[in-house]
Amino acid sequence: MALPALAQDKTTIEWWYANGGRIEEAIQEMIADFNTSQDDYEVVGVRKGNYEETFAAMIAAYRVGQHPTIIQATERSFLTMLFSDAAVPVNQLMAEQGYDTDWSDFIAPVADFYVVDGAPAALPFNSSTGIMWFNADHFEAAGFDKPAETWDEFEQQLYAIKDQGISECGMVLNSDFPWSLLEGYSTINDYPFGTQANGFDGLGTEYVYNTTPVVQQVERLKRWIDDGIIQLSGNGMSPAQLFNSGTCSTWSASTASHAGVEAEAQFNWSATLQPHEAGVEPHNSNIGGAALWVLQGKADEEYAAAAAFIDFVAQPETQAWWSEQTGYIPVTNAAYELMAEQGFFEEHPTREIALLQLTRHEPTENSRGMRFGNSNQWWAVLLEELEAVWTDQKSAQEALDSSVARGNEILRQFEQLHAGS
């Protein structure tokens, strides 16, 4: 008797990602849902550490031909990925595999950040922006409904909370605070961070944030540290723990912190838009998070699997589920509308804040985002210089001048490396 034909083996691909904790749990559930949704492909998700560790592992693996098909890389590594010649543009992949993806449905400025010459180079995945978390009990006790819209009024609130003995910690600085409180501060207030549209118009860009009100913003943060308004994380407590425990009254952090706050905070909490300077029409905030890149050097069937998975991730139902599980924003208008129709934002109003902040103004050259080469190297320099401000070794102006000078040297190195690319 003839034996029944064996089921065709699935094409297996790897996706290396960097998120841990509750976000990783959602990633693995998404992968499982895709794998059970069809019979042709199987995605294996592998966490290689944090973003930098995952990126470094990818580079090492690529050199010996042992790299994954899909890599999750942060927005700070965008130019490195773009000029590496290691990635297949996602729009090219999807078109070649027969998918009619509506790229115009992706939310700006999230999608715009990853667009080159009118086409997306990568798929926006875990996209976020910084919002202002606050302890509603602390604000109510001080006579306030929520954090004020302007920085000057917000400062008065924080001092009132401390002076009234409601909290000894008005704000905790997040580990990535320059992202929301300096870069995001610049985009919201429409201040230039660098020349050439913050790097979007060419590799000859230079940092200029030392010539803008960013200087006054650093002076403001320094004053809050000196006056005991800001608490720096330490003594075994992370910024998230300091807020979620009810110790600190406010926390400028990613909307993706929803997963942790909802699970851990045992008090009345809420979130709102980031403050802006008085007399300024607030613009959109900057994006953070990461995108999915498809790497070169794979077989046709592996690219078919990658395209199928990316199509699955981009579906409104998947995006809505992902946003609901994690706090990251849905990256398409269709997913946003689906969540609104289902009443999700009525039940979870703080989940819509990031979207409202990102879409409240047409992006300008200053608010579109930051596209600088070797951004991680500059980031380390900036943190080093700001630490000199906190410890009274340098003034805000001196530290920012130094970080700009050192940062521009890093930019020139990147420009020389990729000249003519």
Side-chain angles (χ1 to χ4, degrees):
M1 297 179 60
L3 295 174
L6 294 175
Q8 182 181 5
D9 290 340
K10 288 187 175 184
T11 298
T12 301
I13 63 171
E14 284 193 354
W15 167 27
W16 290 4
Y17 61 86
N19 298 111
R22 293 180 178 85
I23 306 299
E24 181 175 20
E25 293 174 6
I27 286 175
Q28 287 293 345
E29 186 172 348
M30 177 188 291
I31 291 173
D33 288 345
F34 169 74
N35 289 340
T36 58
S37 71
Q38 42 70 50
D39 298 323
D40 298 322
Y41 313 114
E42 181 175 7
V43 173
V44 176
V46 180
R47 183 169 186 257
K48 289 290 184 176
N50 60 29
Y51 283 122
E52 291 190 11
E53 292 166 342
T54 300
F55 198 73
M58 181 272 293
I59 293 174
Y62 191 87
R63 289 171 177 165
V64 295
Q66 300 296 319
H67 53 286
T69 305
I70 301 174
I71 182 73
Q72 178 195 29
T74 68
E75 87 283 356
R76 293 193 181 278
S77 61
F78 176 83
L79 287 182
T80 299
M81 288 297 298
L82 184 67
F83 291 123
S84 68
D85 292 327
V88 179
V90 69
N91 69 303
Q92 174 185 320
L93 170 78
M94 300 305 284
E96 290 177 347
Q97 295 297 328
Y99 292 91
D100 186 18
T101 307
D102 183 7
W103 300 110
S104 65
D105 187 49
F106 284 73
I107 293 174
V110 177
D112 288 350
F113 183 85
Y114 295 102
V115 168
V116 178
D117 297 330
L123 179 78
F125 177 59
N126 55 316
S127 295
S128 64
T129 196
I131 60 178
M132 187 61 71
W133 299 86
F134 67 97
N135 186 315
D137 292 335
H138 290 181
F139 274 75
E140 181 180 2
F144 307 120
D145 293 332
K146 63 178 183 179
E149 293 183 1
T150 67
W151 280 103
D152 288 342
E153 293 174 326
F154 180 54
E155 178 175 79
Q156 294 173 13
Q157 291 176 329
L158 295 184
Y159 276 82
I161 288 172
K162 178 176 174 58
D163 292 343
Q164 295 177 35
I166 297 169
S167 172
E168 289 298 317
C169 172
M171 173 182 280
V172 57
L173 277 189
N174 211 34
S175 57
D176 64 351
F177 73 91
W179 170 59
S180 61
L181 296 181
L182 300 186
E183 292 179 325
Y185 169 85
S186 297
T187 60
I188 289 172
N189 289 285
D190 200 28
Y191 302 143
F193 209 78
T195 61
Q196 298 191 8
N198 288 343
F200 273 75
D201 288 348
L203 296 181
T205 181
E206 293 184 343
Y207 292 113
V208 295
Y209 55 83
N210 61 327
T211 65
T212 76
V214 165
V215 178
Q216 287 72 50
Q217 174 75 336
V218 172
E219 291 173 343
R220 177 185 283 134
L221 297 176
K222 167 62 172 171
R223 180 169 66 251
W224 292 0
I225 291 173
D226 290 346
D227 293 345
I229 299 298
I230 282 180
Q231 180 170 331
L232 304 176
S233 57
N235 298 321
M237 294 281 279
S238 69
Q241 290 171 325
L242 285 169
F243 178 77
N244 293 339
S245 66
T247 302
C248 296
S249 301
T250 61
W251 180 37
S252 179
S254 168
T255 183
S257 301
H258 267 101
V261 174
E262 290 172 344
E264 299 172 14
Q266 301 298 312
F267 54 87
N268 292 318
W269 59 269
S270 190
T272 189
L273 303 170
Q274 294 275 37
H276 58 84
E277 292 293 354
V280 170
E281 179 186 2
H283 285 54
N284 59 284
S285 54
N286 57 326
I287 70 162
L292 302 185
W293 296 77
V294 178
L295 299 178
Q296 297 276 7
K298 296 297 179 178
D300 290 342
E301 58 269 22
E302 292 173 289
Y303 286 132
F309 180 65
I310 286 175
D311 181 68
F312 176 84
V313 171
Q315 291 300 313
E317 295 78 10
T318 306
Q319 280 296 307
W321 175 86
W322 169 251
S323 179
E324 292 169 5
Q325 293 295 311
T326 63
Y328 284 112
I329 67 168
V331 297
T332 64
N333 289 298
Y336 184 10
E337 293 166 2
L338 176 61
M339 295 172 71
E341 290 171 1
Q342 295 174 342
F344 181 79
F345 297 123
E346 293 181 5
E347 298 180 10
H348 308 274
T350 59
R351 295 298 194 95
E352 194 173 17
I353 291 168
L355 287 159
L356 296 175
Q357 189 170 265
L358 281 167
T359 59
R360 65 180 169 186
H361 197 286
E362 189 71 21
T364 68
E365 286 190 349
N366 296 330
S367 69
R368 188 179 180 186
M370 314 285 174
R371 193 177 280 180
F372 301 112
N374 288 338
S375 186
N376 285 339
Q377 295 180 30
W378 162 80
W379 183 269
V381 166
L382 178 64
L383 290 177
E384 176 186 315
E385 294 290 351
L386 290 174
E387 183 64 26
V389 179
W390 309 155
T391 56
D392 296 315
Q393 299 176 55
K394 290 184 178 181
S395 68
Q397 186 68 67
E398 290 171 339
L400 293 179
D401 286 347
S402 179
S403 70
V404 163
R406 296 170 65 186
N408 286 338
E409 290 180 1
I410 293 172
L411 290 177
R412 298 291 70 77
Q413 293 169 3
F414 189 86
E415 181 183 21
Q416 291 170 11
L417 180 63
H418 298 286
S421 297

